[in-house]
């Protein structure tokens, strides 16, 4: 147990701080601006792309992407990733990216050389952005039951069907997408993983408004959408296994313990600064005890995150500590938002830029978004199945049958 | 001993439910929400035809002369349909306050017009339920100043009942009040900030103990808010059970999975006793005064907790669909969340329950 | 809604109070003494039996058992039962019984005339006491998978096997017992319901110590135990359906809302009377808020109980309000015991007649017993299945198979 | 940055676990419990052979010179086997107090004998953790009077460390103390009431700020109690998972039912982060003093809550068997429940955490 950073990492952090101090002004705003529509950004590198390029050159973005595909080409080092995330957050500077943290690793691992050269460099440069076509209205928890079909016609797949929960579909250049290509195979073996431009004829994107009132997601409809046969990643019928690569990367992103700690300190400040009848809410023992219970949970998750990071750094499988992060992290965030709302009382219900609103209604928005995250990306029930089966080794439910969908 | 609704009560509630199913569908609520409309004129007119605004007003004033339990049953139906109409303030708290503390003249002036639905009365009791950002309401005789947050039923209100910091109850006409609408998560309900600057008021001063009256009408308001949550939560549970019985995943109806079935069972197990608690609290207001204040606090606080639990679990049962606007489930979710904080937060009313029992 | 009692019931209550005031001194102690061993009580009526007889004569015990079988012969009236329970509890006088509230109704409904005359009158008089042989080590939630066998040999069933969770087996005169008589039938159709004396050769009773440290239950072992064939209630192979009669009666007894209210007031008094650093615990806002949350739950359950009682009085099926009583009632009691323990802090852990112990360690004992009740008589999980399936109409789990055990 | 146990620590813990699996089986615990024995001589002797009593004592005093994280790992193993031996008081709180506040002479006198296991030291800090029924400990120089409830490791103790109400730390030899054993639900642990009547004491007065020392050693005690709960809860979870993987009902292993599987998953999800919390709190005591007191409070409080949750759910997974004495599961259940209240209840330590952060 040594929570100091060795001199290598200390130097890395110092260099990064210096870099940020010097170049911060070039960053295109602390928070990513909503991307322009696809049609508007086809000209020369915009500020965000130039910033990304600068970060790659210094090894602060696309760190582990090989140089020949436009990255920095470093060895994986979770601790350096962690330092990068921490310092960018502290400086409130917009971080870089690695193309798309679901698609790019998948293509690098399973794509052909031609596909790598086609897809990775522009993604890493930020010139090719992605959206994900996995979920369908009829297949949520049971993703493998998806029914969007792609039939071969000449040199093309012809896609018909519908996707849902596609965030960024209205801005993305490309989609990576699961389709059913072998309808007669067992359900996990009939799926293929295709990539294609969102400009392909026959794609319609409709915004999907959520309970927060915003269209964070979209529905995407395919009508005779033609995709050349060589735009498949992996083999026909192996899309399920290709996709699991992607899901693996996505799952790690949820439930960041630092995010929970930052939220906690926001609530702490809220309880100290808001008054009822002239007394700060912090002086209300019922609220205070609830805050303390949340602090205990938050700290446990924070240190659990440090443990996972350490394991990853040592190339060990973190096991249970990692399996539980999504379930516990989302729940903790939701509980913290609930606590903030309750501490604000009636004021906590304000929304829509109302007079008297606190923090722009952020806590209500988080309360709902966190519930969405509890449900999305594997519901809490699916998470518990996974923890029970994969981490604890309990048997699966007996199968009813397993024939093609 | 008969702890049950009688036939008239069942009929009353069913009538209101039928009316709302017919005239206040989700599409109507959706349209109202899009237009920032918290009082649907045609739904309200239909309720006026049934006499709903006069539920608690004596027949001698043109009302129906029913009791708080009946009002709670109506509120339950309104919550069940997330109806965009005034009720809790204008048809419960205000008429009760006038009835209890008004002079004959005040009753003659206001009750018939409230009963007929001719006027709407907004209600502000913020200084007595721990509300924030108020400028406490001061009163000198028939003049009122200050501001009150989270007044309810303010849209199109002609009259406002406002509780001054000293416990006095004042009626102020709309022309003397500046009303600023507040926008909450719940687009089906009307709340606002009231600003009074040396406003002329009609002081409800016929009783010697205005504070007791105030506590009583706040208690009634709490019971009715709890009933609204009960109705909203019951609808969410019903929708979750229906969805769980239809939606298929892994070649099974999801309600056959224990994880989903048990979520439904837990919701039902938590919610069903709440119905009895609301009934009792309302009946206590009507007939068992020594239990009324305590059970009103508990109905309000317990329904707030159970309501939030059901709102969340019912959304989870719907999976991603529950999180979208498509099924409109969030209207109920948000109504429950607003109810939680209205008329005293659960933390506040539990503390009041401790005081009522002499624990502090 | 009318919570007053009509004059009929008020009179009934007044009469009962008068009766109790007059005859209380004849009652054999407020709380039932642990019964003597079976062998010691074969002589003439003991005080408990004489008290029972007096209660029957006045209609305060065995109320609805027909007169020809030794009861009082009144029409069922749940409200009168409720008044009897309330007044006996208030007066702290030992109530009467109806023989055995599982066995007697079953025999009256499904037994032969001969069986009724044999079993009911002595049971009602308290001369014939009962224990229940249902659960087995291998069949808990899945009771119908029981494997204690009874094979026909001449005029007898010959029983071999083991029962568990048999409370009172060491004191009871008789057992009603489920055994498998048709091993080749589907599991629910191979069971028979037998009654026999606990003095029958081949029965061994071993106490079963629970986590509370007491032997509230027993294991009962059968080795070639011979029971005459006519000691079967209902037909061969129909025991499962006979038993469901019994279970129905047992389930209603759990989770009495008055019990919860009484417990609540005990905790309220505890918080007012116990001090920490000179201040009553009630002045600690965290404990107080927790107590208030429990009070809200308790009141909801109390009124729910009144609603169920009303429905029963009107011969209506109470439905959901009744289905949830066991799940919610046991949980509430457990939570209340936990609250009392926590309010007592370290003192709350005392047990075994320790110095400084409060209320004889009752709260710890209840905390554990309530957990036992959450598990026993249908675990919380089974309760949730039943609520989901029977009250809400959700489908059962798909069956894996349903062949004989 | 390395948030993990090193090889020596893993080896240490595994060694203790192996020893306990070998020598402190459930049958041994059962026998001890039946005989009201809370210090199993042969298990304790084996631990002495490993140097466990001297874990935190410097090598110059014959100890092993390890740190609180190591002691926490040992405590986790002891809790995992519900071991009937002294540790938290005699081998953690007492030696730390002597080390931090004792004179050279006091250290020379006591530390070698504690390290070698020659003597056992009971510990009483009741006046500082909200204990009840104490007669506060008063001290005048080297004389101590009063009574202290819930002293730990009292069986066969030769020496007692007692914190006076004024924050002074006193060592009193057994001959000057009347020890009344207290019987709790947990038969594996030794607690008692200490009565001092003008007892001669050896005041640990070499530091100017005894109260800070006291707070520090209480913090260490809390971390180690939390570690004990962690170990006990982990064993209960392991047993529940094993049982769920074996026990059949309805022709299926019960762990294949979502209801049971999800109970196991929830236990694991709650408990696993607790391990990191305990590690961090122990490490903070060793190396990050600014975090030590706060994280000790949180480790104690959070493990109390999660421990109770796991104890209950693991029992439920075992069905009726969990409720019997047959599997002995209740020894862990009760140890967790006793730990919950020792060294400050969760409510008390959370309040202390609020003070530490300047919130009150």
């Amino acid at each position: 147990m040594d929570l100091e950073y060795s001199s290598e990492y200390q130097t890395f952090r110092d260099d990064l701080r210096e870099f940020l101090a010097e170049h911060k002004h070039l960053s295109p705003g602390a928070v990513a601006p909503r991307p322009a529509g696809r049609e508007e950004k086809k000209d020369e590198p915009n500020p965000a792309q130039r910033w990304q390029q600068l970060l790659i050159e210094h090894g602060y973005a696309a760190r582990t992407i090989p140089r020949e595909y436009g990255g920095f080409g470093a060895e994986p080092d979770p601790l350096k990733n962690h330092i990068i995330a921490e310092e960018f957050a502290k400086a409130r500077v917009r971080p870089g990216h690695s193309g798309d943290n679901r698609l790019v690793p998948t293509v690098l691992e399973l794509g052909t050389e031609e596909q790598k050269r086609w897809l990775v460099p522009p993604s890493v440069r930020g010139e090719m952005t992605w959206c994900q076509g996995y979920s369908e209205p009829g297949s949520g928890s049971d993703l493998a039951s998806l029914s969007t079909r792609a039939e071969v016609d000449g040199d093309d797949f012809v896609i018909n069907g519908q996707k849902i929960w596609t965030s960024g579909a209205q801005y993305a250049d490309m989609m990576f997408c699961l389709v059913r290509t072998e309808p007669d195979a067992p359900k996990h073996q009939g799926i293929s993983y295709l990539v294609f431009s969102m400009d392909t004829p026959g794609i319609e994107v409709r915004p999907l408004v959520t309970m927060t009132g915003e269209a964070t997601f979209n529905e995407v409809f395919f009508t005779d959408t033609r995709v050349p046969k060589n735009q498949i990643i992996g083999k026909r019928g192996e899309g399920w296994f290709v996709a699991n690569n992607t899901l693996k990367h996505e799952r790690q992103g949820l439930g960041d313990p630092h995010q929970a700690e930052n939220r906690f300190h926001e609530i702490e400040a809220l309880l100290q600064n808001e008054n009822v009848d002239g007394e700060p809410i912090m002086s209300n023992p019922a609220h205070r005890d609830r805050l303390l219970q949340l602090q205990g949970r938050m700290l446990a998750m924070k240190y659990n995150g440090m443990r996972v990071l350490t394991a990853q750094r040592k190339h060990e499988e973190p096991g249970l500590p990692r399996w539980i992060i999504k379930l516990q992290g989302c729940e903790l965030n939701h509980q913290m938002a609930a606590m903030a709302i309750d501490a604000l009382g009636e004021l906590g219900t304000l929304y829509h830029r109302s007079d008297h609103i606190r923090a722009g209604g952020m806590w209500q928005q988080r309360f709902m978004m966190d519930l969405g995250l509890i449900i999305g990306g594997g519901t809490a029930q699916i998470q518990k199945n996974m923890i029970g089966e994969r981490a604890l080794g309990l048997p699966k439910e007996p199968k009813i049958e397993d024939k093609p969908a | 001993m008969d702890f049950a609704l009688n036939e008239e009560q069942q009929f009353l509630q069913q009538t209101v439910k039928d009316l709302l199913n017919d005239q206040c569908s989700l599409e109507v609520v959706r349209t109202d929400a899009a237009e920032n409309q918290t009082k649907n004129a045609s739904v309200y007119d239909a309720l006026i035809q049934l006499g709903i605004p006069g539920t608690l007003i004596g027949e001698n004033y043109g009302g129906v002369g029913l009791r708080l339990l009946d009002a709670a049953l109506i509120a339950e139906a309104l919550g069940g349909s997330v109806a965009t109409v005034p009720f809790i303030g204008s048809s419960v708290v205000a008429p009760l306050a006038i009835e209890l503390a008004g002079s004959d003249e005040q009753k003659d002036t206001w009750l018939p017009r409230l009963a007929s639905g001719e006027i709407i009365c907004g209600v502000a009791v913020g200084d007595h339920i721990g509300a924030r950002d108020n400028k406490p309401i001061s009163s000198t005789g028939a003049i009122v100043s200050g501001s009150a947050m989270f007044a309810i039923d303010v849209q199109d209100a002609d009259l406002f009942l406002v509780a001054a910091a000293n416990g006095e109850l004042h009626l102020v006409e709309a022309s003397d009040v500046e009303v600023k609408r507040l926008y909450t998560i719940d687009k089906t309900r009307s709340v606002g900030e009231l600003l009074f600057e040396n406003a002329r008021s009609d002081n409800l001063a016929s009783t010697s103990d205005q504070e007791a009256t105030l506590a009583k009408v706040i208690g009634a308001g709490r019971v009715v808010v709890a009933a609204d949550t009960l109705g909203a939560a019951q609808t969410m549970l019903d929708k979750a059970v229906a969805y769980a019985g239809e939606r298929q995943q892994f070649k099974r109806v999801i309600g056959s999975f224990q994880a989903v079935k048990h979520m439904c069972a837990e919701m039902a197990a938590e919610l069903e006793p709440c119905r009895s608690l609301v009934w009792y609290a309302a009946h206590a207001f009507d007939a068992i005064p020594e239990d009324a204040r305590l059970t009103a606090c508990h109905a309000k606080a317990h329904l707030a907790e159970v309501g939030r639990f059901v709102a969340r679990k019912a959304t989870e049962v719907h999976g991603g669909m529950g999180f979208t606007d498509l099924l409109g489930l969030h209207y109920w979710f948000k109504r429950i969340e607003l109810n939680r904080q209205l008329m005293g937060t659960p933390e506040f009313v539990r503390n009041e329950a401790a005081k009522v029992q002499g624990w502090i």
Side-chain angles (χ1 to χ4, degrees), chain A, chain B:
Chain A
M1 186 73 71
D2 177 7
L3 306 187
E4 302 292 315
Y5 286 88
S6 70
S7 65
E8 176 193 352
Y9 293 102
Q10 199 48 58
T11 305
F12 182 80
R13 192 189 289 274
D14 292 343
D15 291 347
L16 173 50
R17 284 184 183 165
E18 204 171 305
F19 169 85
L20 284 172
E22 196 173 325
H23 297 93
K24 195 173 174 172
H25 66 284
L26 298 173
S27 128
V31 175
R34 174 147 297 202
R38 259 174 294 136
E39 61 289 343
E40 301 171 39
K41 50 169 185 169
K42 298 292 173 189
D43 35 20
E44 62 179 26
N46 59 34
Q49 287 163 358
R50 286 197 301 270
W51 176 243
Q52 166 79 356
Q53 200 51 45
L54 184 68
L55 296 184
I56 295 174
E57 281 161 20
H58 286 79
Y60 300 137
R63 263 189 75 75
T64 59
I65 311 288
R67 283 189 178 268
E68 65 262 45
Y69 304 121
F72 181 73
E75 284 300 300
D77 187 333
L79 196 48
K80 287 188 179 160
N81 290 346
H82 177 73
I83 292 170
I84 292 170
E86 232 176 31
E87 293 300 324
F88 275 76
K90 247 187 245 168
R92 298 189 68 77
V93 172
R94 184 175 169 186
H97 58 83
S98 295
D100 179 287
N101 65 5
R102 303 154 299 176
L103 180 278
V104 168
T106 302
V107 171
L108 286 174
E109 202 169 326
L110 302 167
T112 63
E113 186 56 33
E114 193 185 0
Q115 287 170 336
K116 290 183 200 175
R117 295 200 176 278
W118 170 39
L119 299 171
V120 179
S123 297
V124 163
R125 284 196 301 271
E127 294 162 10
M128 183 187 273
T129 58
W130 291 89
C131 62
Q132 171 181 289
Y134 281 10
S135 294
E136 298 181 7
S139 57
S141 292
D142 183 12
L143 181 56
S145 71
L146 60 90
S147 63
T148 291
R149 293 236 181 153
E151 285 166 358
V152 172
D153 182 44
D155 287 341
D156 295 337
F157 288 110
V158 180
I159 310 176
N160 281 285
Q162 183 197 343
K163 295 290 173 182
I164 195 172
W165 303 116
T166 314
S167 46
Q170 68 273 53
Y171 315 118
D173 301 299
M174 301 281 288
M175 172 180 272
F176 55 99
C177 185
L178 292 180
V179 292
R180 186 162 300 283
T181 48
E182 340 287 299
D184 299 326
K187 70 178 180 180
H188 292 89
Q189 290 162 41
I191 295 169
S192 296
Y193 185 108
L194 304 183
V195 296
F196 47 82
S197 165
M198 288 298 283
D199 291 330
T200 312
I203 299 180
E204 188 197 348
V205 176
R206 288 188 208 155
L208 182 67
V209 178
T210 70
M211 68 191 296
T212 66
E214 284 162 24
T216 330
F217 302 98
N218 301 276
E219 296 177 283
V220 180
F221 296 83
F222 301 101
T223 313
D224 294 333
T225 308
R226 299 188 82 90
V227 171
K229 276 163 78 179
N230 63 355
Q231 292 184 205
I232 188 171
I233 310 290
K235 297 213 182 75
R236 256 182 78 160
E238 293 186 357
W240 180 255
F241 310 100
V242 177
N244 272 326
N245 246 299
T246 310
L247 280 177
K248 190 176 70 187
H249 296 289
E250 188 177 21
R251 240 170 234 139
Q252 290 180 357
L254 294 162
D256 171 19
H258 287 282
Q259 187 198 38
E261 189 175 19
N262 293 337
R263 284 195 184 191
F264 175 81
H265 289 304
E266 289 171 355
I267 304 173
E268 182 187 350
L270 186 156
L271 265 73
Q272 279 163 334
N273 298 330
E274 286 283 336
N275 292 295
V276 186
D277 297 333
E279 293 285 317
I281 302 170
M282 190 64 100
S283 69
N284 178 316
H287 283 302
R288 194 171 62 232
D289 192 63
R290 185 171 163 196
L291 183 70
L292 284 157
Q293 295 194 40
L294 285 172
Q295 188 175 32
R297 299 185 78 81
M298 179 277 289
L299 289 174
M301 286 306 290
K302 176 184 168 183
Y303 305 137
N304 183 71
M306 290 165 68
R307 187 172 162 215
V308 169
L309 184 63
T310 298
Q312 287 173 334
R313 219 189 110 223
K314 297 178 179 172
H315 308 292
E316 295 165 4
E317 165 53 42
L320 194 51
R322 185 174 68 79
W323 281 112
I324 58 137
I325 285 180
K326 201 233 156 185
L327 180 68
Q328 296 296 93
C330 291
E331 182 65 34
L332 174 60
N333 280 338
H334 185 65
Q335 297 297 337
M336 289 202 294
M339 154 106 238
I341 289 167
D342 290 348
L344 286 167
E346 289 174 331
L347 294 177
T349 66
L350 294 175
Y351 209 56
H352 309 293
R353 303 171 195 281
S354 179
D355 282 355
H356 297 276
I357 201 166
R358 301 299 201 268
M362 171 180 80
W363 293 111
Q364 278 292 349
Q365 183 151 19
R366 285 181 175 173
F367 183 64
M368 292 186 268
M369 280 303 294
D370 291 331
L371 180 54
L373 287 169
I374 287 170
I375 294 167
T379 64
Q381 287 67 47
I382 297 292
Q383 295 294 324
K384 289 178 196 174
N385 279 351
M386 291 200 314
I387 295 168
E389 290 162 16
R390 301 200 201 169
L392 302 178
L394 290 169
K396 294 195 170 214
E397 296 221 36
K399 289 239 168 110
I400 307 306
E401 54 178 299
D402 188 14
K403 300 232 186 71
Chain B
M1 218 291 292
D2 188 21
F3 192 89
L5 304 182
N6 62 32
E7 275 182 31
E8 289 77 14
Q9 288 162 335
Q10 293 178 37
F11 179 77
L12 168 67
Q13 191 178 46
Q14 195 56 51
T15 305
V16 178
K17 280 184 180 172
D18 290 346
L19 183 157
L20 294 169
N21 282 340
D22 190 40
Q23 302 201 29
C24 192
S25 65
L26 177 56
E27 288 62 43
V28 170
V29 171
R30 233 184 238 296
T31 307
D32 286 343
E35 294 170 358
N36 274 323
Q37 177 60 257
T38 54
K39 176 177 155 272
N40 183 299
S42 72
V43 175
Y44 197 56
D45 281 347
L47 290 168
I48 288 172
Q49 297 312 312
L50 283 184
I52 298 303
T55 303
L56 294 174
I57 296 171
E59 294 179 60
N60 47 336
Y61 296 110
V64 194
L66 292 175
R67 319 206 63 186
L68 193 66
L69 179 53
D70 305 283
L73 296 173
I74 294 165
E76 189 188 339
L78 295 171
S81 288
V82 288
T84 43
V85 289
F87 183 71
I88 297 169
S90 188
S91 304
V92 175
V93 178
L96 283 174
I98 296 168
E99 182 85 41
L100 287 164
S103 64
D104 284 346
E105 193 191 330
Q106 287 168 324
K107 292 181 195 175
D108 285 338
T109 306
W110 300 115
L111 292 179
R113 297 167 68 192
L114 283 168
S116 69
E118 179 194 334
I119 62 168
I120 288 174
C121 183
V123 168
V125 295
D127 283 343
H128 299 271
I129 55 165
R132 333 278 164 90
D133 288 12
N134 289 339
K135 292 187 195 66
I137 305 290
S138 60
S139 68
T140 50
I143 300 290
V144 164
S145 288
S147 80
M149 291 285 291
F150 283 89
I152 54 175
D153 291 348
V154 301
Q155 187 185 337
D156 301 342
D158 311 276
L159 186 68
F160 292 91
L161 173 74
V162 56
N166 62 8
E168 287 178 9
L169 286 161
H170 293 271
L171 289 174
V172 182
E173 294 193 56
S175 53
D176 272 33
V177 185
E178 185 188 346
V179 182
K180 281 191 184 171
R181 175 148 178 204
L182 295 171
Y183 294 89
T184 75
I185 43 167
D186 178 10
K187 292 192 159 197
T188 68
R189 306 285 278 286
S190 167
V191 299
E193 180 182 11
L194 306 184
L195 297 141
F196 303 92
E197 201 173 337
N198 295 319
R200 285 163 302 162
S201 97
D202 196 5
N203 191 343
L204 296 172
S206 79
T207 170
S208 57
D209 190 352
Q210 279 189 312
E211 285 208 63
T213 303
L214 176 60
K216 200 167 172 191
V217 299
I218 287 175
R222 285 176 179 158
V223 173
V224 176
V225 172
D228 192 278
T229 293
L230 173 65
Q234 184 66 53
T235 297
M236 289 195 86
L237 169 57
D238 292 344
K239 284 175 185 280
V241 170
Y243 190 81
E246 284 163 19
R247 167 83 172 172
Q248 299 225 356
Q249 292 281 274
F250 304 103
K251 296 190 184 302
R252 287 166 55 177
V253 163
I254 61 170
S256 72
F257 285 101
Q258 278 187 324
V260 174
K261 183 182 295 171
H262 288 192
M263 280 202 281
C264 292
E266 287 161 14
M267 283 189 264
E270 290 290 328
L271 189 59
E272 195 57 34
C274 290
R275 188 176 313 279
S276 301
L277 178 57
V278 168
W279 288 359
Y280 188 93
H283 179 68
F285 182 91
D286 294 331
I288 314 172
E290 66 274 20
D291 278 0
R293 194 161 169 195
L294 178 66
T295 54
C297 287
H298 275 304
K300 177 69 178 66
H302 188 57
L303 266 292
E305 305 293 1
V306 174
R308 175 177 277 179
F309 173 78
V310 171
R312 179 226 163 121
K313 288 291 164 190
T315 304
E316 276 192 82
V317 167
H318 283 82
M321 275 299 127
F323 181 60
T324 66
D325 179 58
L326 295 172
L327 303 180
L329 207 65
H330 61 94
Y331 289 108
W332 285 266
F333 183 102
K334 291 166 180 171
R335 185 143 168 156
I336 290 168
E337 281 290 323
L338 177 63
N339 282 347
R340 180 182 175 93
Q341 311 296 350
L342 285 180
M343 306 290 287
T345 67
E347 299 83 7
F348 183 91
V349 292
R350 280 197 296 267
N351 202 50
E352 191 172 312
K355 288 179 191 161
V356 169
Q357 295 177 91
W359 292 354
I360 45 175

